[in-house]
Amino acid sequence: MSSQTLVVTPSVPFAMDGSRYYLDIKAVDGLKRYAALWPGRVRCLMRRGDRSQIVFGKAYDAADLPFDVVARGDAPDSNRADFDDAAIVLAAGDSYGDLAIPDVTTTPTVFIIENTLVTRLRILRLSQGLTLRTAKSMAWMVLRERDRRRAFEQAAGLQANGSPAFDSYQHLSEAPMRYFDTRMTRSQQASPAEIDRKVAQALAGAPIRLAFSGRLARIKGVDHLVPFAEALQQTGTPFVLDIFGDGPLRAAMQDAATQSGLGDKVRLHGAVPFDETLVPTLKQTADLFVCTHRQADPSCTYMETLSCGVPIVGYDNAAFRGIAALGNVGVTVPMDDVSALARAVARLSADRPALADMIRAAGQVSQDHSFENVVQQRIDHLRTIAQV
């Protein structure tokens, strides 16, 4: 009987906490779901790393994990036996170390891909600035892109997170699929009753309730949030803007809000627990999400926000354009145009029936993209390719 083992090579590392594995919580949640749906064993090949590399981690006993954790070597063929006795390998296409897997095993390989070359280059420039070091890193990325495309052509399939990656790489694969990453389970998504309450609140005409969540760093465009609030104030639109998250720009943003006289309208809450605080807050007290992302990485923020019944107004990066194309769930404005962002919010604040329609659409569109649905679709894709 042929093996029915699924081998997964996450991009996140693992560390040891005594005799326990210290693992990324989100990765474990996904792997648990894989294990529940896959008709065989799930083997997770992970590189050993430092605990500080795992931002949101937790210690787990091996006996409590429904999948095996196996340390991965540095050389591409170090784990050849772990690949060869499997039914299929799910590899990280964003990780350069995984691109050689089709060369070292005959087991069918499916790559996950999230970022395009353009997005990688943009993220590098935004995070490091225009320096000689940045230019050298960009040149290296361009050269490695040839390896990535060759690997995708060799692979048995491709799972693309978000529209930009799917549009860029689907033609290289005989079996491509697109999905939208999310942590939101069906039970967490806004219910019809919660959507009705949000609609009633929006139609009541109180100051529009805006939100942002994410890392407070320039790469997320958060340096535009206070200038956006100032521009919105100038339109005469009553509003409050709640910002959730932490990062290097938090103190500067707080100072800017205070100096602009917006301390009572722009409220920074710091990092809050996702399940216990952020999700219920967005479902209960947010009418609209303001997204200033400058880069087109497939942030799970988009679908998770819609799942709370919150439509989005944001810069027209390629990832958000793909989300907005799903239905009446978002408004895109030109990149870095703070005034256009403020005008778009002001229009929706003045047209509450239009805002109510977007809230309903957000709740409806997200129903097909729950965490359970997305993982099921991805497992079905793998089973079709592996023929198990």
Side-chain angles (χ1 to χ4, degrees):
M1 184 176 179
S2 62
S3 170
Q4 289 190 323
T5 299
L6 165 63
V7 171
V8 185
T9 64
S11 56
V12 292
F14 80 97
M16 297 304 299
D17 185 346
S19 62
R20 310 174 81 196
Y21 292 116
Y22 192 79
L23 303 170
D24 179 85
I25 294 172
K26 183 180 176 182
V28 170
D29 289 343
L31 287 163
K32 283 182 176 179
R33 191 67 185 171
Y34 285 177
L37 297 175
W38 182 258
R41 194 65 187 171
V42 174
R43 180 185 302 148
C44 184
L45 298 188
M46 303 183 76
R47 293 179 176 85
R48 189 185 294 267
D50 188 83
R51 182 167 171 158
S52 62
Q53 297 175 273
I54 307 169
V55 180
F56 299 105
K58 180 180 174 182
Y60 298 87
D61 289 320
D64 295 332
L65 296 173
F67 54 88
D68 302 319
V69 177
V70 177
R72 186 170 173 191
D74 294 329
D77 60 351
S78 299
N79 296 88
R80 183 188 296 271
D82 291 304
F83 294 131
D84 287 350
D85 73 344
I88 196 165
V89 179
L90 183 62
D94 289 279
S95 174
Y96 297 109
D98 282 15
L99 299 181
I101 290 177
D103 291 324
V104 301
T105 182
T106 58
T107 299
T109 300
V110 173
F111 281 105
I112 304 169
I113 184 65
E114 296 193 343
N115 291 318
T116 66
L117 176 60
V118 171
T119 298
R120 284 189 185 84
L121 295 173
R122 185 172 180 82
I123 289 174
L124 185 64
R125 184 173 64 81
L126 287 171
S127 60
Q128 296 188 8
L130 293 175
T131 65
L132 179 59
R133 179 183 176 185
T134 301
K136 290 181 178 179
S137 296
M138 286 181 167
W140 185 85
M141 283 185 177
V142 171
L143 291 175
R144 295 289 75 75
E145 184 68 8
R146 294 182 300 184
D147 299 332
R148 177 172 289 107
R149 290 178 173 271
R150 174 177 170 272
F152 289 179
E153 289 175 335
Q154 289 179 285
L158 187 70
Q159 296 189 353
N161 181 11
S163 295
F166 183 75
D167 293 343
S168 293
Y169 297 112
Q170 63 166 316
H171 66 283
L172 300 174
S173 175
E174 294 182 358
M177 71 162 288
R178 180 186 68 168
Y179 69 96
F180 295 99
D181 194 22
T182 180
R183 289 168 288 180
M184 293 286 283
T185 63
R186 295 188 191 104
S187 63
Q188 289 177 303
Q189 291 181 319
S191 67
E194 288 173 321
I195 292 294
D196 287 343
R197 283 195 291 272
K198 288 181 73 71
V199 166
Q201 290 167 350
L203 292 175
I208 192 166
R209 302 169 302 175
L210 309 174
F212 175 90
S213 68
R215 180 164 168 75
L216 302 187
R218 185 174 180 272
I219 197 170
K220 296 294 186 181
V222 297
D223 51 315
H224 283 190
L225 286 174
V226 175
F228 152 76
E230 293 174 326
L232 186 59
Q233 174 88 337
Q234 292 173 5
T235 69
T237 301
F239 73 95
V240 291
L241 170 59
D242 289 304
I243 300 172
F244 301 93
D246 207 347
L249 295 185
R250 181 180 176 185
M253 292 170 64
Q254 185 66 71
D255 290 344
T258 301
Q259 292 172 9
S260 300
L262 294 172
D264 59 334
K265 293 186 175 183
V266 178
R267 305 179 296 203
L268 283 79
H269 300 273
V272 299
F274 179 79
D275 294 329
E276 297 85 358
T277 304
L278 183 60
V279 169
T281 299
L282 290 180
K283 288 198 289 188
Q284 297 166 15
T285 64
D287 301 313
L288 198 60
F289 190 94
V290 180
C291 187
T292 49
H293 290 188
R294 293 185 173 102
Q295 77 288 354
D297 66 298
S299 173
C300 55
T301 295
Y302 297 118
M303 195 54 67
E304 290 169 356
T305 298
L306 299 184
S307 293
C308 292
V310 183
I312 304 168
V313 172
Y315 291 153
D316 63 343
N317 67 69
F320 180 40
R321 285 200 300 272
I323 292 289
L326 296 175
N328 182 30
V329 297
V331 176
T332 62
V333 302
M335 188 69 66
D336 294 328
D337 193 334
V338 170
S339 296
L341 199 62
R343 290 194 299 271
V345 171
R347 284 194 296 270
L348 284 172
S349 178
D351 189 351
R352 295 304 175 94
L355 177 59
D357 287 344
M358 291 181 69
I359 291 172
R360 293 190 188 96
Q364 186 62 45
V365 165
S366 63
Q367 290 301 306
D368 293 332
H369 301 279
S370 67
F371 174 71
E372 295 93 338
N373 285 357
V374 169
V375 177
Q376 183 68 66
Q377 291 162 6
R378 296 180 65 192
I379 290 293
D380 289 346
H381 180 247
L382 294 176
R383 292 190 65 176
T384 298
I385 293 172
Q387 299 182 351
V388 298

